[in-house]
Coordinates of all heavy atoms in Angstrom, one line a residue:
M1 N 52.2 -126.9 108.6 CA 52.6 -128.2 108.4 C 54.2 -128.3 108.5 O 54.7 -127.6 107.9 CB 52.1 -128.8 107.0 CG 52.2 -130.2 106.8 SD 52.0 -130.7 105.0 CE 50.3 -129.9 104.8
N2 N 54.6 -129.3 109.3 CA 56.0 -129.4 109.4 C 56.5 -130.4 108.4 O 56.1 -131.6 108.4 CB 56.3 -130.0 110.9 CG 57.8 -130.1 111.1 OD1 58.6 -130.1 110.1 ND2 58.2 -130.0 112.4
A3 N 57.5 -130.0 107.6 CA 57.9 -130.8 106.4 C 58.6 -132.0 106.8 O 58.8 -132.8 105.9 CB 58.6 -129.8 105.4
H4 N 59.1 -132.0 108.0 CA 60.0 -133.1 108.5 C 59.4 -134.3 109.2 O 59.9 -135.1 109.6 CB 61.1 -132.6 109.3 CG 62.0 -131.7 108.6 ND1 62.9 -131.9 107.6 CD2 62.2 -130.3 108.9 CE1 63.5 -130.8 107.1 NE2 63.0 -129.8 107.9
T5 N 58.0 -134.2 109.3 CA 57.2 -135.2 110.0 C 56.7 -136.2 109.1 O 56.0 -137.2 109.6 CB 56.2 -134.6 110.9 OG1 55.3 -133.8 110.1 CG2 56.7 -133.7 111.9
H6 N 56.7 -136.1 107.8 CA 56.3 -137.2 106.9 C 57.1 -137.2 105.8 O 57.9 -136.3 105.3 CB 54.8 -137.0 106.6 CG 54.5 -135.6 106.0 ND1 53.7 -134.7 106.6 CD2 54.7 -135.2 104.8 CE1 53.6 -133.6 105.8 NE2 54.3 -133.8 104.7
L7 N 57.1 -138.3 105.0 CA 57.7 -138.4 103.8 C 56.8 -138.7 102.7 O 55.7 -139.2 102.9 CB 58.9 -139.4 103.8 CG 58.6 -140.9 104.1 CD1 58.2 -141.7 102.9 CD2 59.8 -141.6 104.7
I8 N 57.1 -138.5 101.5 CA 56.3 -138.8 100.3 C 56.8 -140.0 99.6 O 58.1 -140.0 99.3 CB 56.2 -137.6 99.3 CG1 55.6 -136.3 100.1 CG2 55.3 -137.8 98.2 CD1 55.8 -135.0 99.4
A9 N 56.1 -141.0 99.3 CA 56.6 -142.0 98.6 C 55.5 -142.8 97.8 O 54.2 -142.5 98.0 CB 57.2 -143.1 99.6
R10 N 55.8 -143.6 96.9 CA 54.9 -144.3 96.1 C 55.5 -145.7 95.8 O 56.7 -145.9 95.9 CB 54.5 -143.6 94.9 CG 55.6 -143.5 93.8 CD 55.0 -142.8 92.6 NE 56.2 -142.5 91.7 CZ 56.1 -141.9 90.4 NH1 54.9 -141.4 90.1 NH2 57.1 -141.7 89.8
V11 N 54.6 -146.6 95.4 CA 55.1 -147.9 95.0 C 55.8 -147.7 93.6 O 55.5 -146.9 92.8 CB 54.0 -148.9 94.8 CG1 54.4 -150.2 94.3 CG2 53.3 -149.1 96.1
R12 N 57.0 -148.4 93.5 CA 57.7 -148.3 92.3 C 56.9 -148.5 91.1 O 56.0 -149.5 91.1 CB 58.9 -149.4 92.2 CG 59.9 -149.1 93.3 CD 61.1 -150.0 93.2 NE 61.9 -150.0 94.3 CZ 62.9 -148.9 94.5 NH1 63.0 -148.1 93.5 NH2 63.6 -149.0 95.6
P13 N 56.9 -147.7 90.1 CA 55.9 -147.8 88.9 C 55.9 -149.3 88.3 O 54.8 -149.7 87.9 CB 56.5 -146.7 87.9 CG 57.3 -145.8 88.7 CD 57.8 -146.6 89.9
E14 N 57.1 -150.0 88.3 CA 57.0 -151.3 87.7 C 56.3 -152.4 88.5 O 56.0 -153.4 88.1 CB 58.5 -151.8 87.3 CG 59.4 -152.0 88.5 CD 60.1 -150.8 88.9 OE1 59.7 -149.6 88.7 OE2 61.2 -150.9 89.5
L15 N 56.1 -152.0 89.9 CA 55.4 -152.8 90.8 C 53.9 -152.5 91.0 O 53.1 -153.3 91.4 CB 56.1 -152.9 92.1 CG 57.5 -153.4 92.2 CD1 58.1 -153.2 93.6 CD2 57.6 -154.8 91.7
A16 N 53.6 -151.2 90.6 CA 52.2 -150.7 90.9 C 51.2 -151.3 89.9 O 51.4 -151.4 88.8 CB 52.2 -149.2 90.9
R17 N 50.1 -151.7 90.4 CA 49.0 -152.2 89.6 C 47.8 -151.5 89.7 O 47.0 -151.7 88.8 CB 48.8 -153.7 90.1 CG 49.9 -154.7 89.7 CD 49.4 -156.1 90.2 NE 50.7 -156.9 90.4 CZ 50.8 -158.0 91.2 NH1 49.6 -158.3 91.9 NH2 51.9 -158.7 91.3
T18 N 47.6 -150.7 90.7 CA 46.4 -150.0 90.8 C 46.6 -148.5 91.0 O 47.8 -148.1 91.2 CB 45.6 -150.4 92.2 OG1 46.3 -150.0 93.3 CG2 45.4 -151.9 92.2
E19 N 45.6 -147.7 90.8 CA 45.8 -146.3 90.8 C 46.3 -145.8 92.2 O 46.9 -144.9 92.4 CB 44.4 -145.6 90.6 CG 44.2 -145.4 89.0 CD 43.1 -144.4 88.8 OE1 42.5 -143.8 89.8 OE2 42.8 -144.1 87.6
Q20 N 45.7 -146.6 93.2 CA 46.1 -146.2 94.6 C 47.6 -146.5 94.8 O 48.3 -145.6 95.5 CB 45.3 -147.0 95.6 CG 45.6 -146.5 97.2 CD 45.0 -147.5 98.1 OE1 44.9 -148.7 98.0 NE2 44.5 -146.9 99.2
E21 N 48.2 -147.5 94.2 CA 49.6 -147.8 94.3 C 50.3 -146.8 93.6 O 51.5 -146.5 93.9 CB 49.8 -149.3 93.9 CG 49.3 -150.2 94.9 CD 49.6 -151.7 94.3 OE1 49.9 -151.9 93.0 OE2 49.3 -152.7 95.0
L22 N 49.8 -146.3 92.5 CA 50.5 -145.3 91.6 C 50.6 -143.9 92.3 O 51.3 -143.1 92.0 CB 49.9 -145.2 90.2 CG 50.5 -146.3 89.3 CD1 49.7 -146.2 87.9 CD2 51.9 -146.0 89.0
S23 N 49.6 -143.7 93.1 CA 49.5 -142.3 93.8 C 50.6 -142.2 94.7 O 51.3 -143.0 95.3 CB 48.2 -142.2 94.5 OG 47.1 -142.4 93.7
C24 N 51.0 -140.8 94.9 CA 52.0 -140.4 96.0 C 51.3 -140.4 97.3 O 50.3 -139.7 97.4 CB 52.6 -139.1 95.7 SG 53.4 -139.1 94.0
H25 N 51.7 -141.3 98.3 CA 51.2 -141.2 99.5 C 52.1 -140.5 100.5 O 53.3 -140.4 100.3 CB 51.0 -142.6 100.0 CG 50.0 -143.4 99.2 ND1 48.6 -143.3 99.4 CD2 50.1 -144.3 98.1 CE1 48.0 -144.1 98.5 NE2 48.9 -144.7 97.7
L26 N 51.5 -140.0 101.5 CA 52.2 -139.3 102.6 C 52.3 -140.2 103.8 O 51.2 -140.7 104.3 CB 51.5 -138.0 103.0 CG 51.5 -136.8 102.0 CD1 50.5 -135.9 102.3 CD2 52.9 -136.3 101.8
F27 N 53.4 -140.4 104.4 CA 53.6 -141.3 105.5 C 54.3 -140.5 106.7 O 55.2 -139.8 106.6 CB 54.7 -142.4 105.1 CG 54.3 -143.2 103.9 CD1 54.5 -142.8 102.6 CD2 53.6 -144.5 104.2 CE1 54.0 -143.6 101.6 CE2 53.1 -145.2 103.1 CZ 53.4 -144.8 101.8
P28 N 53.4 -140.6 107.9 CA 54.0 -139.9 109.0 C 55.3 -140.7 109.4 O 55.4 -141.9 109.4 CB 52.7 -140.1 110.0 CG 52.0 -141.3 109.5 CD 52.2 -141.3 108.0
L29 N 56.2 -139.8 109.9 CA 57.5 -140.3 110.5 C 57.5 -140.1 112.0 O 57.0 -139.1 112.5 CB 58.6 -139.6 109.8 CG 59.0 -140.2 108.5 CD1 60.1 -139.3 107.8 CD2 59.4 -141.6 108.4
P30 N 58.1 -141.0 112.8 CA 58.3 -140.8 114.1 C 59.3 -139.5 114.3 O 60.0 -139.2 113.5 CB 59.0 -142.0 114.7 CG 59.5 -142.7 113.5 CD 58.7 -142.3 112.3
P31 N 59.1 -138.9 115.5 CA 59.8 -137.6 115.8 C 61.3 -137.8 115.7 O 61.9 -136.8 115.4 CB 59.4 -137.2 117.2 CG 58.1 -137.9 117.5 CD 58.2 -139.3 116.6
D32 N 61.8 -138.9 115.9 CA 63.3 -139.1 116.0 C 63.9 -139.2 114.4 O 65.0 -139.4 114.2 CB 63.7 -140.2 116.7 CG 63.2 -141.6 116.4 OD1 62.6 -141.6 115.2 OD2 63.4 -142.6 117.0
G33 N 63.0 -139.4 113.5 CA 63.3 -139.3 112.2 C 63.7 -140.7 111.6 O 64.1 -140.9 110.4
A34 N 63.6 -141.8 112.4 CA 63.9 -143.1 112.0 C 62.8 -143.6 111.1 O 61.7 -143.3 111.2 CB 64.0 -144.0 113.1
V35 N 63.3 -144.4 110.0 CA 62.4 -144.9 109.1 C 61.9 -146.2 109.5 O 62.8 -147.2 109.7 CB 62.9 -145.0 107.6 CG1 62.0 -145.5 106.6 CG2 63.4 -143.6 107.2
P36 N 60.6 -146.5 109.9 CA 60.2 -147.7 110.3 C 60.3 -148.8 109.2 O 60.4 -148.6 108.1 CB 58.7 -147.5 110.8 CG 58.4 -146.1 110.2 CD 59.6 -145.5 109.8
E37 N 60.2 -150.0 109.7 CA 60.2 -151.2 108.7 C 59.2 -151.2 107.7 O 59.4 -151.5 106.6 CB 60.3 -152.5 109.5 CG 61.7 -153.1 109.6 CD 61.8 -154.3 110.4 OE1 61.0 -155.2 110.1 OE2 62.6 -154.5 111.2
S38 N 57.9 -150.9 108.2 CA 56.9 -150.8 107.2 C 56.2 -149.5 107.5 O 56.1 -149.0 108.7 CB 55.9 -152.0 107.3 OG 54.9 -151.7 108.2
L39 N 55.7 -149.0 106.4 CA 55.1 -147.6 106.6 C 53.6 -147.7 106.3 O 53.1 -148.4 105.5 CB 55.7 -146.6 105.5 CG 57.3 -146.5 105.7 CD1 57.8 -145.7 104.4 CD2 57.5 -145.4 106.9
R40 N 52.9 -146.9 107.1 CA 51.3 -146.9 106.9 C 51.1 -145.3 106.6 O 51.4 -144.5 107.3 CB 50.6 -147.2 108.1 CG 49.2 -147.0 107.9 CD 48.2 -147.9 108.8 NE 48.3 -149.3 108.2 CZ 47.6 -150.2 108.8 NH1 47.0 -150.0 109.9 NH2 47.6 -151.5 108.2
A41 N 50.5 -145.2 105.3 CA 50.2 -143.8 104.9 C 49.1 -143.4 105.8 O 48.2 -144.0 106.4 CB 49.9 -143.9 103.6
Y42 N 48.8 -142.0 105.7 CA 47.7 -141.4 106.4 C 46.4 -142.0 105.9 O 45.5 -142.1 106.7 CB 47.7 -139.9 106.1 CG 48.7 -139.1 106.8 CD1 49.8 -138.5 106.1 CD2 48.6 -138.9 108.2 CE1 50.7 -137.8 106.7 CE2 49.6 -138.2 108.8 CZ 50.6 -137.6 108.1 OH 51.6 -136.9 108.8
C43 N 46.3 -142.4 104.7 CA 45.0 -143.0 104.2 C 44.9 -144.5 104.6 O 43.9 -145.1 104.4 CB 44.9 -143.0 102.7 SG 46.2 -144.0 101.8
G44 N 45.9 -145.1 105.3 CA 45.8 -146.5 105.7 C 46.5 -147.4 104.7 O 46.5 -148.6 104.9
F45 N 47.2 -147.0 103.7 CA 47.8 -147.8 102.7 C 49.1 -148.1 103.2 O 49.9 -147.4 103.7 CB 47.9 -147.0 101.4 CG 48.7 -147.7 100.2 CD1 47.9 -148.7 99.6 CD2 49.9 -147.4 99.8 CE1 48.5 -149.4 98.5 CE2 50.6 -148.0 98.9 CZ 49.9 -149.0 98.2
D46 N 49.4 -149.4 103.2 CA 50.7 -150.0 103.8 C 51.7 -150.1 102.6 O 51.3 -150.6 101.5 CB 50.4 -151.3 104.5 CG 49.8 -151.3 105.8 OD1 50.3 -150.4 106.5 OD2 48.8 -151.9 106.1
I47 N 52.9 -149.8 103.0 CA 54.0 -150.0 101.9 C 55.2 -150.4 102.7 O 55.5 -150.1 103.7 CB 54.2 -148.6 101.2 CG1 54.9 -148.8 99.9 CG2 55.0 -147.6 102.1 CD1 54.8 -147.5 99.0
T48 N 56.0 -151.3 102.0 CA 57.2 -151.8 102.6 C 58.3 -151.0 101.8 O 58.2 -150.8 100.6 CB 57.5 -153.2 102.3 OG1 57.2 -153.6 101.0 CG2 56.5 -154.0 103.3
P49 N 59.3 -150.5 102.6 CA 60.4 -149.6 102.0 C 61.0 -150.3 100.7 O 61.3 -149.5 99.7 CB 61.4 -149.5 103.0 CG 60.6 -149.6 104.4 CD 59.6 -150.6 104.1
G50 N 61.1 -151.7 100.7 CA 61.6 -152.2 99.5 C 60.9 -152.1 98.2 O 61.5 -152.1 97.2
Q51 N 59.6 -151.9 98.2 CA 58.9 -151.7 97.1 C 58.5 -150.2 96.8 O 57.8 -150.0 95.8 CB 57.6 -152.6 97.1 CG 56.5 -152.1 98.2 CD 55.2 -152.9 98.2 OE1 54.4 -152.6 98.9 NE2 55.2 -153.9 97.4
A52 N 59.0 -149.5 97.7 CA 58.6 -148.0 97.4 C 59.7 -147.2 97.0 O 60.9 -147.6 97.1 CB 58.2 -147.4 98.9
E53 N 59.6 -146.2 96.4 CA 60.5 -145.1 96.0 C 60.1 -143.8 96.8 O 58.9 -143.4 96.8 CB 60.6 -144.8 94.6 CG 59.3 -144.3 93.9 CD 59.5 -144.1 92.4 OE1 60.7 -144.3 91.9 OE2 58.6 -143.9 91.7
Q54 N 61.1 -143.3 97.4 CA 60.8 -142.0 98.2 C 61.0 -140.8 97.1 O 61.9 -140.8 96.3 CB 61.9 -141.9 99.4 CG 61.5 -140.6 100.1 CD 62.4 -140.7 101.5 OE1 63.1 -141.6 101.8 NE2 62.5 -139.5 102.1
L55 N 60.2 -139.9 97.3 CA 60.1 -138.7 96.3 C 60.4 -137.4 97.1 O 60.1 -137.3 98.2 CB 58.7 -138.6 95.7 CG 58.2 -139.9 95.1 CD1 56.7 -139.7 94.7 CD2 59.0 -140.2 93.9
D56 N 61.1 -136.5 96.4 CA 61.4 -135.3 97.0 C 60.2 -134.4 97.1 O 60.2 -133.4 97.9 CB 62.5 -134.6 96.2 CG 63.8 -135.3 96.3 OD1 64.0 -135.9 97.3 OD2 64.6 -135.3 95.3
G57 N 59.1 -134.7 96.3 CA 58.0 -133.9 96.3 C 56.9 -134.6 95.6 O 57.1 -135.6 95.0
P58 N 55.7 -134.1 95.6 CA 54.7 -134.7 94.9 C 54.9 -134.9 93.4 O 55.3 -133.9 92.7 CB 53.4 -133.8 95.2 CG 53.7 -133.0 96.3 CD 55.3 -132.8 96.3
V59 N 54.8 -136.1 92.9 CA 55.0 -136.3 91.5 C 53.8 -137.1 91.0 O 53.3 -138.0 91.7 CB 56.3 -137.3 91.3 CG1 56.4 -137.6 89.8 CG2 57.5 -136.6 91.8
G60 N 53.3 -136.7 89.8 CA 52.1 -137.3 89.3 C 50.9 -137.2 90.2 O 50.7 -136.0 90.5
M61 N 50.3 -138.2 90.5 CA 49.0 -138.1 91.0 C 49.0 -138.3 92.6 O 49.6 -139.3 93.0 CB 48.1 -139.3 90.5 CG 46.6 -139.2 91.1 SD 45.7 -140.5 90.1 CE 46.7 -141.9 90.3
P62 N 48.7 -137.3 93.4 CA 48.8 -137.4 94.8 C 47.6 -138.1 95.3 O 46.5 -138.1 94.7 CB 48.7 -136.0 95.3 CG 48.0 -135.2 94.2 CD 48.2 -135.8 93.0
C63 N 47.7 -138.8 96.5 CA 46.7 -139.4 97.2 C 45.8 -138.5 97.9 O 46.3 -137.9 98.8 CB 47.3 -140.6 98.1 SG 45.9 -141.4 99.1
M64 N 44.6 -138.2 97.5 CA 43.8 -137.3 98.1 C 43.6 -137.4 99.7 O 43.8 -136.5 100.4 CB 42.5 -137.0 97.4 CG 42.5 -136.0 96.2 SD 43.0 -134.4 96.8 CE 43.6 -133.7 95.2
P65 N 43.2 -138.6 100.0 CA 42.9 -138.8 101.4 C 44.3 -138.5 102.3 O 44.2 -138.0 103.4 CB 42.6 -140.3 101.5 CG 42.0 -140.6 100.2 CD 42.8 -139.7 99.2
C66 N 45.5 -138.8 101.8 CA 46.7 -138.6 102.4 C 46.9 -137.0 102.5 O 47.2 -136.5 103.6 CB 47.8 -139.1 101.7 SG 48.2 -140.9 102.1
L67 N 46.6 -136.3 101.4 CA 46.9 -134.8 101.5 C 45.9 -134.2 102.5 O 46.4 -133.4 103.2 CB 46.6 -134.3 100.1 CG 47.6 -134.5 99.1 CD1 47.1 -133.7 97.8 CD2 48.9 -133.8 99.5
L68 N 44.7 -134.7 102.5 CA 43.8 -134.0 103.4 C 44.0 -134.3 104.9 O 44.1 -133.4 105.7 CB 42.3 -134.5 103.1 CG 41.7 -134.1 101.8 CD1 40.5 -134.7 101.5 CD2 41.5 -132.5 101.8
R69 N 44.4 -135.5 105.2 CA 44.8 -136.0 106.5 C 46.0 -135.2 107.0 O 46.1 -134.8 108.1 CB 44.9 -137.4 106.7 CG 43.5 -138.1 106.6 CD 43.5 -139.3 107.4 NE 42.3 -140.1 107.1 CZ 42.1 -141.3 107.5 NH1 42.9 -141.8 108.4 NH2 41.1 -141.9 107.1
A70 N 47.0 -135.2 106.1 CA 48.4 -134.5 106.5 C 48.1 -133.1 106.8 O 48.7 -132.4 107.6 CB 49.3 -134.6 105.3
A71 N 47.1 -132.4 105.9 CA 46.9 -131.0 106.2 C 46.2 -130.9 107.6 O 46.4 -129.8 108.3 CB 46.0 -130.5 105.1
L72 N 45.3 -131.8 107.9 CA 44.6 -131.7 109.2 C 45.4 -131.9 110.4 O 45.4 -131.3 111.4 CB 43.4 -132.6 109.2 CG 42.3 -132.2 108.2 CD1 41.1 -133.3 108.2 CD2 41.7 -130.9 108.6
V73 N 46.4 -133.0 110.2 CA 47.2 -133.4 111.3 C 48.4 -132.4 111.5 O 48.7 -132.1 112.6 CB 47.7 -134.7 111.1 CG1 48.8 -135.1 112.1 CG2 46.6 -135.8 111.1
G74 N 48.8 -131.8 110.4 CA 49.8 -130.8 110.3 C 51.1 -131.3 110.9 O 51.9 -130.5 111.4
Ligands
ZN1 ZN1 47.4 -142.4 100.5

């Protein structure tokens, strides 16, 4: 798995209402490293950068579908 091809983020805790929003999702990044305007996680969860906090590593509860897909996509 290439550590530079995705980022880990979740909805800010004060904005999160569901378990899915509280989970840490993995977002694929384009090869040039630019952060797109809206991000779609491997599991299909959409997040806007304004409501998200980027994490240095998995914190709390990871999103299992994201983890599995990231591992498969590599
Ligand atoms: Zn996810």
Side-chain angles (χ1 to χ4, degrees):
M1 195 189 305
N2 186 336
H4 297 292
T5 54
H6 57 248
L7 62 85
I8 301 169
R10 66 177 173 185
V11 176
R12 295 182 190 282
E14 65 268 28
L15 298 176
R17 293 182 199 155
T18 66
E19 277 200 359
Q20 188 185 33
E21 289 177 346
L22 274 172
S23 302
C24 300
H25 296 274
L26 291 168
F27 299 85
L29 285 176
D32 61 7
V35 178
E37 255 179 47
S38 88
L39 296 165
R40 171 156 289 178
Y42 286 110
C43 69
F45 182 72
D46 284 314
I47 200 169
T48 53
Q51 68 176 182
E53 60 179 356
Q54 189 174 341
L55 305 169
D56 291 331
V59 176
M61 184 172 51
C63 173
M64 272 303 164
C66 276
L67 280 183
L68 290 173
R69 291 212 195 174
L72 292 174
V73 173

